[in-house]
Amino acid sequence: MTTGVRRRMGVEERRQQLIGVALELFSHRSPDDVSIDEIAAAAGISRPLIYHYFPGKQSLYEAALRRAADELAARFMEPREGPLGARLLRVMGRFFDFVDEHGPGFSALMRGGPAVGSSTANAMIDEVRQAAHDQILEHLGIADPSPRLELVVRSWVSLAESTALIWLDGRRVPRAELELQLVHDFAALAAVSAAHDEEMAALLVRILADEPMDGPFGDLMGRLAALLPAITKTAPVAHVPAQRLR
């Protein structure tokens, strides 16, 4: 038989509970629209008690953001095994899981919410982007990227972020299609860079050498190959300088 006596939480346990409650609320509505009173009610405590653990909503928001940022960065962790295309597709699946679960909070975080102007919040957002960047380089087996590779990786991380934000606004494109498209986007960015740089060309050849035809990169090549007959019929013949043909 229970006595109905509520167990008293320790300071850190209560802080973690409040962060979890705030994150749950931020997952359904923008943090701007969530009041301290709502967080207190959801946690089953009084409003003044929240201020015993956090100086204010900004402090609680940043603590919740810290947990969310750590979780999002962890979504980019992937064992360096198997073809790169399949690895990136799994990463995109976990990335969109997070976006799907924390839509309004993710949108507010990237577009600006109550932490706008906060150097702490901005630094945490940058940490997530850096973690994604570092993980991609680790998958490529490169510790010191060339300037062109740096552009490719950072451009792709930015593209994934902006694509997720656009997708949240109505979810008009099937999520699975976007995940695959983003993996294709990485290959496309690398291919364009490879057309201008020998080092990138060598890296692209190395990547594709390990890719199966039924993988994401093989799928992209098949789709492009199917378009070539139509493109060659309508595209004007380009003039290629003689030195480029040698």
Side-chain angles (χ1 to χ4, degrees), residues 111-185:
R111 287 181 172 144
V116 169
S118 163
S119 58
T120 301
N122 291 336
M124 282 189 277
I125 295 167
D126 286 341
E127 283 177 25
V128 173
R129 293 171 177 148
Q130 186 64 40
H133 164 274
D134 292 347
Q135 278 297 306
I136 299 306
L137 290 181
E138 187 171 325
H139 284 300
L140 295 172
I142 296 176
D144 186 20
S146 67
R148 287 187 185 273
L149 179 57
E150 187 78 8
L151 280 172
V152 166
V153 175
R154 292 202 181 277
S155 295
W156 185 71
V157 171
S158 177
L159 179 61
E161 178 184 313
S162 59
T163 297
L165 287 171
I166 294 169
W167 177 75
L168 280 172
D169 187 17
R171 291 172 166 83
R172 290 169 290 179
V173 177
R175 174 183 148 178
E177 291 182 16
L178 274 188
E179 292 170 8
L180 179 60
Q181 181 179 314
L182 279 165
V183 178
H184 287 173
D185 286 334

Side-chain angles (χ1 to χ4, degrees), residues 3 7 17 34 41 48 58 96 106 109 138 159 163 193 205 209 226:
T3 61
R7 181 177 63 85
Q17 182 220 15
V34 178
Q58 177 80 8
F96 271 89
F106 177 84
L109 164 61
E138 187 171 325
L159 179 61
T163 297
S193 186
V205 168

Side-chain angles (χ1 to χ4, degrees), residues 201-245:
L203 175 61
L204 183 62
V205 168
R206 175 168 66 82
I207 291 172
L208 295 180
D210 295 328
E211 292 293 321
M213 288 308 297
D214 61 350
F217 291 168
D219 176 70
L220 175 61
M221 289 187 286
R223 290 170 186 253
L224 293 176
L227 292 174
L228 283 177
I231 293 174
T232 53
K233 285 180 182 179
T234 58
V237 177
H239 173 70
V240 182
Q243 62 268 27
R244 293 284 298 278
L245 299 176

Side-chain angles (χ1 to χ4, degrees), residues 47-79:
R47 175 192 175 99
L49 193 55
I50 286 187
Y51 293 106
H52 176 72
Y53 298 99
F54 296 95
K57 181 178 175 180
Q58 177 80 8
S59 174
L60 177 55
Y61 177 86
E62 290 182 357
L65 177 58
R66 172 78 274 168
R67 184 185 291 183
D70 290 344
E71 182 182 342
L72 182 54
R75 301 292 175 108
F76 286 88
M77 302 290 289
E78 174 71 24

Side-chain angles (χ1 to χ4, degrees), residues 19-34 39 61 64-65 67-68 71 75 97-109 168 171:
I19 291 170
V21 167
L23 264 181
E24 176 63 23
L25 292 172
F26 296 159
S27 295
H28 300 288
R29 288 154 55 209
S30 168
D32 273 328
D33 299 329
V34 178
I39 296 172
Y61 177 86
L65 177 58
R67 184 185 291 183
E71 182 182 342
R75 301 292 175 108
D97 280 344
F98 183 93
V99 173
D100 214 356
E101 294 162 8
H102 303 280
F106 177 84
S107 182
L109 164 61
L168 280 172
R171 291 172 166 83

